[in-house]
Structures are given as structure tokens and as C-alpha cells.
Amino acid sequence: MKTVKTTFFAVIAMFAFSANSNAQAPAKNPLTKPAITTTPAATKPSAPVAWKAEVYDFGDIKKGTPVSHDFTFTNTTKQTVLITNVKASCGCTATDYTKTPIKPGETAYVKATYNAAAPGAFSKTVTVTLNENETPKVLTIKGKVVEPQS
């Protein structure tokens, strides 16, 4: 009989301990969907600049004649913007860009120059990073290099 009482109290103690630990954690209802959190549109960061164009088509160009295009943008923020990195997708495209800080409302440029050495269609990209922590912008130049008429 003593063993039955001891076992009974042990079971009661385990139940009490189990009930106490469950009381600390909220019960999960399997029918309840988890909450979805979203960032309101007003707090999402806006694009730091407004590009005039992100793609430029040269059309047909003569082989051996380099062509250039200036991609321009305006700083639309209330803070100064700095171009921190510009990288062409291959060695056939050279780049140049505004090296000074761009104040709010000011316009800057990224120049892409394609060497047009090989005949045929081309599509090349230039990746531009502003203020190191921003998502890079990919600009595209394209066209078709044709053999010059003899």
C-alpha cells in the first residue's frame, strides 16, 4: 500500500510540474494561422536616385568604332549620394562616372564605352553601386556591330 501511495504522489507531482510548465507557454491553436508582418509602404526605403534610362540601344554600329553612352540620374533623396563602385560585365566595355558626392537634386552620370571589335549583336551590363549599402543597379547597353562597307 505504501508503494501505491508513493507512486500516486509521484504521478500527481509529475502532472503538476507538467501543467505548470505548459502554463508558461501559450497554447497553440492548430486552426489559427500565424501572423504575417509586413512593412508599411511609408517606411520602405525609396530608390536613392531616379535614372533617366537603364537600357540604351546603339542600333547598328561600324566594327572598330567605339561608341559611348552617358546614363544619367538625379539624386531624389535629402542626403548626399556617392557612387562607390562601377563594374562592366567584360573587358570590351570601359566605364567612367561622377567621382564627387552628388547632393540632393543634383544630376550625375555613368558612362559606358563599348569597343565594337567583334561583329554581331551584343548586350553588355554595367553594375553601379551607390553608398556601399544600397542594392546595385544594373544598366545595359546593346546593339549590333556590322562590318564597314568597302
Side-chain angles (χ1 to χ4, degrees), residues 41 43-47:
T43 61
K44 285 185 180 176
S46 61

Side-chain angles (χ1 to χ4, degrees), residues 47-51 73-75 77 80-86 97-98 102 108-110 127-137:
V49 298
W51 291 91
F73 66 87
T74 302
N75 179 355
T77 69
T80 300
V81 172
L82 182 65
I83 300 173
T84 57
N85 192 25
V86 175
Y97 59 94
T98 302
I102 301 103
Y109 74 93
V110 174
T127 304
V128 181
T129 305
L130 305 171
N131 295 348
E132 291 185 18
N133 60 344
E134 296 291 329
T135 302
K137 173 60 75 180

Side-chain angles (χ1 to χ4, degrees), residues 3-19:
T3 307
V4 173
K5 284 184 181 179
T6 305
T7 305
F8 177 73
F9 285 118
V11 170
I12 296 295
M14 285 181 14
F15 179 77
F17 179 75
S18 174

Side-chain angles (χ1 to χ4, degrees), residues 86-101:
V86 175
K87 184 172 177 158
S89 60
C90 75
C92 59
T93 305
T95 61
D96 188 24
Y97 59 94
T98 302
K99 311 265 189 317
T100 58

